[in-house]
Amino acid sequence: MSMSAGRLDATAVRAAYRRWAGIYDASFGAVSLAARRRAVARVNAGAGVRVLEVGVGTGLALPMYEPTKRVTGIDLSPEMLARAEARVARLGLTHVEALLERDAEATGLAEGSFDSAVAMFVASVVPHPKRLMAEMRRVVRRGGQIVVINHFSAEGGVRLAVERGLAPFGRALGWHPDFPFEELLNSQERAAARFTPVPPAGLFTLVELQN
Ligand SMILES: C[S@@+](CC[C@H](N)C(=O)[O-])C[C@H]1O[C@@H](n2cnc3c(N)ncnc32)[C@H](O)[C@@H]1O
C-alpha cells in the first residue's frame, strides 16, 4: 500500500481510508489500542455526557465509553464510518447517538453542544490542525473538555527507535511525519494544557485542555 506522507485534503483522506478501512483494525488500530483506552478513560472521567469523537474511524473506541455517555462520531471516510456503524449494530452500543460524515475542521455542529470533544490520531492528518482545534473548542461548551491523542515530534530523541518502528504506519495513514505541538496549539493553549506520554514507550501524547 503506497500513500504519500503529509497532510491530506478531503479527497485524499477519502481515497486513503477507503484503502485502509479493511485492514485498519488489525494493523495501526491494534498498535494504538492502549493509547486509545487512555484517551477514552479521560473522557469517561469528564463531567457531562455529550461527547463528540472527531475522526471516529472504524469506531474502535466506541465500546470503551461509559454507557452513560451520549456519543456522536464524525469522519470524512464513508468506508471507515460504515465499519463504525457495523460495530455499533454488532455490539448494540446504545450510547452511540449518531455517526456523521463531516469535516473535522468545519463540522456544521452547533456551538457549545458537547461537554467533551476527543480526537484520536487525527490531528496530524487534517490539513489545518489549528482549525481542528478551533472547531473542537467551538462545539464544546465553556468549561468543557478537549482531549487529543497523537504522535508529536520528539523533543528529546529518546523515542527514536519506537518512532522508526511505527513510521511506516504513520506515513501510510497520512500523518504529517514532523508534527510539533505548536502546529496544533497556540501559546496560551500550550501553557494551559496537560500533557501525558502514553504507550507504546511514550510514543503518543495525551493532550487535555479545559475549554
Ligand atoms: C488514523 S485514523 C484514526 C481513527 C480513530 N480515531 C482511531 O483512533 O482509530 C484517522 C481518521 O481521521 C479521519 N479524518 C482525516 N481527516 C479528517 C477530517 N478532515 N475530518 C474528519 N475526519 C477526518 C480519517 O478518515 C480516519 O478515519
Side-chain angles (χ1 to χ4, degrees), residues 114-187:
F114 293 94
D115 299 298
S116 307
V118 55
M120 294 177 265
F121 312 109
V122 180
S124 55
V125 180
V126 299
H128 312 98
K130 282 203 169 76
R131 282 190 210 162
L132 164 73
M133 180 54 70
E135 182 64 355
M136 289 174 79
R137 297 196 68 169
R138 189 187 68 77
V139 300
V140 168
R141 65 169 167 85
R142 190 182 274 240
Q145 178 191 39
I146 311 284
V147 176
V148 172
I149 194 157
N150 217 85
H151 168 254
F152 294 92
S153 319
E155 293 190 327
V158 278
R159 296 185 267 142
L160 206 59
V162 190
E163 282 191 17
R164 281 195 180 140
L166 287 186
F169 283 125
R171 277 193 296 276
L173 287 162
W175 282 355
H176 197 271
D178 175 26
F179 187 56
F181 290 111
E182 293 75 30
E183 288 202 29
L184 179 70
L185 304 170
N186 64 33
S187 52

Side-chain angles (χ1 to χ4, degrees), residues 25-47:
D25 291 1
S27 55
F28 179 75
V31 172
S32 51
L33 204 58
R36 200 174 286 105
R37 273 192 217 293
R38 294 283 187 98
V40 177
R42 296 306 304 150
V43 174
N44 284 336

Side-chain angles (χ1 to χ4, degrees), residues 8-10 13-14 16-18 20 24-25 28-30 32 36 53-61 74-81 100-107 118-128 132 149-150 169 173-175:
L8 304 180
D9 65 19
V13 163
R14 290 195 180 97
Y17 285 93
R18 184 177 308 129
W20 265 102
Y24 183 87
D25 291 1
F28 179 75
S32 51
R36 200 174 286 105
E53 190 182 325
V54 174
V56 64
T58 62
L60 277 174
I74 61 168
D75 203 283
L76 265 183
S77 164
E79 286 79 8
M80 296 291 270
L81 280 171
L100 309 170
E101 193 177 326
R102 300 286 170 97
D103 186 339
E105 293 187 6
T107 64
V118 55
M120 294 177 265
F121 312 109
V122 180
S124 55
V125 180
V126 299
H128 312 98
L132 164 73
I149 194 157
N150 217 85
F169 283 125
L173 287 162
W175 282 355

